[in-house]
Structures are given as C-alpha cells and as structure tokens.
Amino acid sequence: MRSAAVFVVVVAAATLYLYLLSIHLPPGPKHLPPVPEDDDNNPRPVQEYRLKFPSDLDELRELAELLKYYKREHYGYVLLLYCSAYIYKQSFAIPGSSFLNLLAGAIFGPWLGLLLACVLATSGSTLCFLLSSVFGKQYVVQLFPEKVALLQGKVEENRSSLFFFLLFLRFFPMTPNWFLNITCPVLGIPISIFFFSVLIGLIPYNFICVRTGCILSQITSMDDIFSWGTLAQLLAIAFAALVPGALIKHYGKAHLKVDSMESNGPSPAASKQEWKRR
C-alpha cells in the first residue's frame, strides 16, 4: 500500500506540474473567425486561440499553427511544454504518441521533430519501465496474469536473441507498447537492452508520424495532396515503413520463436488500431 500511495503522489505531482506549465502560456495571437455566408455585413468579433486537444484535422492544424506562433516568440517555452507533455504521456502509459508525433513534424520540422520523437519516446518509456519496476511489478502480474505468463515464456525461448525479439515486438504490435513498457521489469529485461530496443524499434513508426505531420501542416487543399512533391513524400514514408519491418520479420521467422504470440495476437485491424493508440 505504501508503494501505491507514493505512486499516486508522483502522478499527482507530475500532473500538477504539467497543468501549471500549460496555463502559464504567454499571451496568444488573435484571429478572426470565418464570416457566415449570409451575414457578411456584421462585424466579426476578435477571439483568442486556446490550447485544447484537437478532435479533427482542422483543429490539429490550428493547434500546430498556434504552437508555431509561440515557438517564434517563446521557443524555449514551447519546447519545454512539448517535451513535458510527451514524457508525461509515455511515463504513465497514456495513449496518444501518434498525435504528439504529428505535432512534432508540424511544429519542429521533419528532422528535429524525428529526433525529439525518438528521444522523448525512449526517455518516457524508460521512466515507465523504472516506475513499473519500483511500484508496479506485483500489480502487473495480478492484473494481466495470462499475458505476462505468455510473454515470459516467449522471452525465455528467445533469451539468446533477446534484443532482436524486443525489436520484433516494437515493429509488429502484437503486444501494445505500453504493456511492454510496464511488463519488461517483471520479465527481467535489462534496462540497457530495453532502452536501445525502444530507441531503434520505434524509429520507423516515429518517422511515419512525424513526416505525416509535416505534410498535413502544408496541405491547404485537395490539390496539394495529389501534387508530385506530396506523392513523393508519401512514397518515401511507405518505403521507410516497409523495408525495416520486412527485414525484422524475415529475421524473426528464421531466428525467433513468436508463433504462438502471432496466433494469440490481435487481428490485422486490431494491429492498425494499436499503431494509432501508441
């Protein structure tokens, strides 16, 4: 009970920090809402942008533009806010890294965005590993006894190729990323192997999301989607996703024992949903 109470205090302190950081944003820009078609003569009230979680592509683009504005005037603050939100999400196994990766591409560009996504995903996952190691081992076993037992058996079967086994699981989400993060301490995975498997294993996924965020931030009409430049970028994204995955899958079939995990894993549609929730 003491460890649970300490964990609650840690979560509360991190949540309070992130909340205080988000409400102390510098004054935001002003914008004029669109004029209704049947009301051109009425004056348009000036409204202020507000920081909120987007529910569609338009709101995502609006949030990206808002943070771009803040980045020009308060670069350090935006960087701190983004890094804090990402690490908070990863540390406490909260879904949403795809959204944050899209924002990274839209705000910071393809290469800095990719670097941030990889470093923050790895750092946050490692903090989740440590939190689970200190506070959550017994709870993980109690809550997911069958899944932990299955994964434990596969880890023992692939102990000689443990790093590549973990890479395989990161490339192919038969087991959710958040579950791997909280379960690896229970399975006796060394933190060094865990760290580098996350850093390398999530590069294709992070690359896809970041590059997509860059493209979404530049698209203003349907014509932009079918331009040669956009199509070339989409092909590059597809190539970057397929080639590493194909190599890891080929290695896995030859050297790893993952058959029962595939038979007990999610369907292809469920795997796609898992990639969205990462």
Side-chain angles (χ1 to χ4, degrees):
M1 291 300 295
R2 180 179 299 178
S3 62
V6 174
F7 179 73
V8 170
V9 171
V10 171
V11 174
T15 304
L16 179 62
Y17 160 76
L18 190 60
Y19 171 75
L20 293 175
L21 189 64
S22 64
I23 65 174
H24 286 87
L25 283 168
K30 304 292 183 178
H31 80 288
L32 295 175
V35 180
E37 293 182 1
D38 58 348
D39 203 12
D40 292 339
N41 296 324
N42 289 340
R44 296 176 295 175
V46 177
Q47 298 180 350
E48 185 177 357
Y49 281 114
R50 295 188 181 277
L51 200 61
K52 64 177 181 178
F53 194 91
S55 58
D56 54 37
L57 180 58
D58 290 334
E59 290 186 1
L60 174 64
R61 188 180 291 112
E62 182 175 314
L63 178 59
E65 291 301 321
L66 170 63
L67 293 179
K68 284 181 183 179
Y69 165 85
Y70 280 121
K71 187 186 74 169
R72 289 194 298 267
E73 302 294 331
H74 309 280
Y75 187 92
Y77 198 96
V78 171
L79 183 62
L80 177 63
L81 178 63
Y82 178 82
C83 293
S84 300
Y86 204 123
I87 291 179
Y88 178 90
K89 185 211 73 66
Q90 287 289 98
S91 298
F92 301 119
I94 302 172
S97 62
S98 58
F99 161 74
L100 291 175
N101 288 343
L102 288 171
L103 272 184
I107 299 169
F108 299 104
W111 302 117
L112 179 57
L114 178 61
L115 177 63
L116 285 173
C118 292
V119 171
L120 294 174
T122 305
S123 301
S125 296
T126 304
L127 284 175
C128 184
F129 177 101
L130 294 174
L131 288 171
S132 177
S133 178
V134 175
F135 300 113
K137 282 186 176 181
Q138 58 180 340
Y139 300 108
V140 171
V141 176
Q142 291 174 3
L143 291 172
F144 311 102
E146 295 181 359
K147 292 183 179 180
V148 171
L150 174 63
L151 196 55
Q152 178 72 68
K154 287 303 167 184
V155 166
E156 294 304 324
E157 290 180 358
N158 294 280
R159 182 67 67 176
S160 60
S161 304
L162 186 56
F163 177 74
F164 291 99
F165 174 68
L166 293 177
L167 275 186
F168 185 91
L169 294 183
R170 295 293 177 179
F171 273 96
F172 301 98
M174 295 177 293
T175 300
N177 272 328
W178 65 267
F179 186 73
L180 283 177
N181 295 343
I182 65 175
T183 307
C184 280
V186 180
L187 305 178
I189 306 294
I191 192 171
S192 58
I193 293 180
F194 174 85
F195 179 91
F196 287 105
S197 69
V198 176
L199 179 63
I200 298 173
L202 291 184
I203 287 178
Y205 170 74
N206 292 335
F207 177 80
I208 292 170
C209 293
V210 170
R211 293 296 305 185
T212 303
C214 293
I215 294 173
L216 291 178
S217 67
Q218 298 167 2
I219 291 175
T220 58
S221 67
M222 291 297 295
D223 292 337
D224 294 335
I225 298 178
F226 297 103
S227 68
W228 288 110
T230 302
L231 291 176
Q233 292 184 63
L234 292 174
L235 287 174
I237 291 173
F239 181 80
L242 293 175
V243 172
L247 293 176
I248 290 294
K249 189 171 185 178
H250 176 75
Y251 179 90
K253 288 182 177 180
H255 300 89
L256 302 177
K257 300 177 181 179
V258 292
D259 293 338
S260 63
M261 289 191 68
E262 291 179 344
S263 61
N264 289 282
S267 64
S271 297
K272 292 180 180 178
Q273 290 299 320
E274 172 55 33
W275 266 58
K276 294 178 181 179
R277 291 195 301 267
R278 284 185 175 191

